[in-house]
Amino acid sequence: MKPPIFPHDVPFDPVRAAVVGLGYWGPNLIRNLNEIEAAELRWICDLDQSRLETFGRRYPSVSCTREFADLLADPELEAIAIATPVSTHYPLALAALEAGKHVFIEKPLAASVNEAAKLATLAAERGLTLMPGHTFLYSPPVNMIRDLIAGGELGDIYFISMSRVNLGLHQSDVSVAWDLGPHDFSILRYWLEKTPSHVSAMSRSCVFPTIPDVAFINLEYERGAIAHVELSWLAPSKLRRTTIVGSSKMIVYDDVSNEPVRIFDSGVMLDQPQSFGEFQLSYRTGEILSPAVRPAEPLSLEMDDFCEAIRRGRSPRSSAKLGVEVVRVIDAVDASLASAGSRIALDTRSALTA
Ligand SMILES: NC(=O)c1ccc[n+]([C@@H]2O[C@H](COP(=O)([O-])OP(=O)(O)OC[C@H]3O[C@@H](n4cnc5c(N)ncnc54)[C@H](O)[C@@H]3O)[C@@H](O)[C@H]2O)c1
């Protein structure tokens, strides 16, 4: 019996799960599914025999296969977590859902809006859980900031500026917008509870001739908030820095700092003019708070939410709908890049309800 990391109000039987894709990221899913009480890791799968042998030795009670079909054919297997390259997400997830398995897919949900929406629709029709791996939705600092925004602490959100840059890892099959963008687009969606109304972007392919490795993306939201997202695999140092400016307070969220959230009681007021043309600005620089953030591994919380969503028949926090919305934003980024940075209007209705 594994120790409970996340005590559940009503305990449930562990979800019998598999992981497909044992490259860079998949081993993290394996470790967490193996550790949490809510799951029982039954299978691991990869086309690469040497990866299977490495992880087979590390997890001797788990069955290993190069054949994805073996997972589909196991009637006891309930859920499959997919951590393979983005172009394979749709065919693997489609086959898994058609075989009646619940599916977790690493970000992004799929390689196009059409594919993402089809998966979400199929999962809903079959009553299966489909969860995209938007890990930051389980990050304690991200959740602390979400609570502050939702509670009105910051006032109106004027703008958000995000930098996610470091040296590497260059991907050979997707652009930096498809690789790193899902993190920031999912965080923005979670905080603002909206998809942007308009997107514009510029990028450059500095290393591979056709794969953008730097992108500057602008997002506009209904009722005025704007956001800027800078993404790059080509930077001298690692930055994970977000500034949120509201009418009442401001926050700096630095994910690589040991003080990840700093709240500034700062702002500016435009005072009523005494007479025509005499505007007065008053700047306020008050306290800076650095609240303690409860440490927890986001991926462990994410895997636990996946299993609980399956057992309780409820949507996970990182829902299929949110995953489709994130793909819609990346798709709009691509459309803007293809038209020399033009401003692309997104239908603000969800692709699922449209
Ligand atoms: N949440 C995060 O922070 C995070 C971080 C990194 C990567 N990811 C995501 O994880 C996924 C995988 O990325 P990666 O960097 O680990 O890729 P990777 O190329 O390192 O590994 C992919 C693995 O999948 C295997 N594979 C490919 N097709 C397969 C198939 N049909 N059946 C079985 N195995 C197959 C490959 O042999 C390889 O071992 C991507 O969706 C990526 O966006 C998420």
Side-chain angles (χ1 to χ4, degrees), residues 303-332:
M303 290 295 100
D304 193 69
D305 193 31
F306 177 52
C307 295
E308 191 162 5
I310 291 170
R311 282 286 178 264
R312 307 257 188 259
R314 61 148 171 83
S315 177
R317 179 183 304 163
S318 180
S319 65
K321 183 176 170 188
L322 184 142
V324 174
E325 293 301 302
V326 167
V327 176
R328 291 179 68 225
V329 175
I330 314 172
D331 185 64

Side-chain angles (χ1 to χ4, degrees), residues 20-28 45-48 51 65-68 82-86 88-89 92 105-108 133-136 169 171 174 178-179 182-183 299 302:
V20 51
L22 313 180
Y24 167 69
W25 193 251
N28 294 323
C45 170
D46 200 294
L47 298 175
D48 182 337
R51 298 297 289 168
T65 183
R66 295 176 62 199
E67 301 295 331
F68 186 64
I82 298 171
T84 56
V86 179
T88 64
H89 287 185
L92 293 176
I105 312 182
E106 259 315 324
K107 57 82 191 165
H134 292 303
T135 324
F136 279 92
L169 296 168
Q171 307 287 313
V174 289
W178 282 89
D179 182 43
H183 294 314
L299 196 49
E302 186 180 38

